[in-house]
Amino acid sequence: MSSDRKSSSELREFDRSLPMTLLKAREAVMRKFLPSLREHDLSAQQWRVLRALMEAPHRDASEIAERCAILLPSLSRILQNLERRALVRRKTDRKDQRRSLVSITPKGVRLVEKIAPISEERYQHITQKFGEQRLSDLYDMLGQLIECLENDEGDSS
């Protein structure tokens, strides 16, 4: 074994890897939500975009990308698809021609309103299985983890 490689005893157990545990948790949660999204021909990313647009009538594309944790090139493809389906509309910002403002259409609102009760049922199921306080604590802890690591971006060690 080369000297610059860690021995297997120096690696943390695979099952105690934070990225892997978070990924497994995400997959377990998404298994509860994806069937209803697929039923309406939506990806998880498309759903995130529609949900974000429900909270604000007009959003800048870069703001949507940031809020939905989607890279701009991927968001561009997602918006094209949603626009083709008449679920969102894009227009150039009158104040800044470089900015594209995106809004949800009435058809998009109807689709979100159709899926929302099913989504809420899934949340209720998760809350019942995991516990309301534990779920609240999990949100808080994950938020703290995100804030801690985002404030530490300059330090990659």
Side-chain angles (χ1 to χ4, degrees):
M1 181 182 287
S2 73
S3 61
D4 58 355
R5 246 190 192 178
K6 284 188 172 187
S7 72
S8 60
S9 64
E10 293 179 59
L11 286 173
R12 85 175 42 248
E13 289 180 43
F14 187 71
D15 290 339
R16 295 301 286 179
S17 158
L18 185 57
M20 198 66 219
T21 302
L22 289 170
L23 181 61
K24 286 180 177 180
R26 180 194 184 282
E27 293 300 319
V29 169
M30 290 309 296
R31 276 193 294 276
K32 299 297 180 194
F33 291 92
L34 282 176
S36 63
L37 297 180
R38 286 188 183 128
E39 186 178 312
H40 298 283
D41 194 29
L42 287 175
S43 69
Q45 295 86 354
Q46 290 168 333
W47 175 247
R48 290 198 312 255
V49 169
L50 292 174
R51 287 280 290 116
L53 290 171
M54 287 291 286
E55 293 183 3
H58 305 287
R59 287 197 188 265
D60 174 82
S62 58
E63 183 185 353
I64 294 170
E66 168 95 18
R67 188 156 170 84
C68 296
I70 299 172
L71 297 173
L72 270 172
S74 297
L75 178 64
S76 179
R77 287 187 298 277
I78 290 165
L79 290 176
Q80 286 171 3
N81 178 288
L82 294 175
E83 200 170 24
R84 243 187 339 269
R85 295 169 61 188
L87 299 173
V88 302
R89 82 174 56 91
R90 284 191 275 190
K91 65 180 181 180
T92 304
D93 186 352
R94 282 185 245 165
K95 298 174 190 168
D96 183 349
Q97 299 294 311
R98 298 167 296 177
R99 285 182 65 204
S100 175
L101 294 177
V102 182
S103 59
I104 191 166
T105 64
K107 181 179 178 182
V109 170
R110 286 192 301 275
L111 181 59
V112 171
E113 289 174 345
K114 187 174 186 178
I115 297 171
I118 300 162
S119 180
E120 192 53 38
E121 284 176 15
R122 302 299 191 272
Y123 275 109
Q124 292 304 319
H125 174 76
I126 292 167
T127 301
Q128 180 183 15
K129 296 287 273 184
F130 193 65
E132 189 171 344
Q133 187 60 53
R134 286 176 40 179
L135 190 57
S136 177
D137 292 345
L138 180 61
Y139 278 120
D140 291 343
M141 288 190 303
L142 289 172
Q144 291 166 16
L145 176 63
I146 291 164
E147 185 178 326
C148 172
L149 295 177
E150 284 180 348
N151 290 338
D152 192 36
E153 282 185 11
D155 180 19
S156 62
S157 59

